[in-house]
Amino acid sequence: MPIYAYRCASCGHAKDVLQKLSDPVLSTCPACGAEAFAKQVTAAGFQLKGSGWYATDFRGNGGGAKPADGAPAPAVGDAKPAASDSAPSAASAAAGGCGASCGCA
């Protein structure tokens, strides 16, 4: 059942009322008794809960999105670690360290 917001134009009393769609619209204010109780226009209240709404959430094969060129997407564990700038390369290690910037010489 929807919840409708009502407000009295006479006294300003506001109330949310749980009503069926077939119920008549209320017109009498419960606070002051005036016939100025009117239904208000309100935004629909809803919440999206869960992990999210993505195109990959509803795929039946369990796979993620594939690249456009047709090449298979890399698996999660296939990524190679990036070379660190602070680690000496093989050439600099053979030459006697990393140039003494780290104190290994």
Side-chain angles (χ1 to χ4, degrees), residues 21-95:
L21 292 172
S22 60
D23 287 347
V25 177
L26 301 177
S27 61
T28 305
C29 177
C32 68
E35 292 293 323
F37 209 48
K39 195 184 293 187
Q40 301 292 298
V41 177
T42 59
F46 69 95
Q47 295 179 352
L48 298 176
K49 293 184 178 183
S51 63
W53 295 89
Y54 298 99
T56 58
D57 284 350
F58 300 104
R59 294 194 181 210
N61 62 2
K66 294 189 178 177
D69 63 358
V76 175
D78 290 347
K80 294 181 181 178
S84 174
D85 291 337
S86 63
S89 66
S92 65

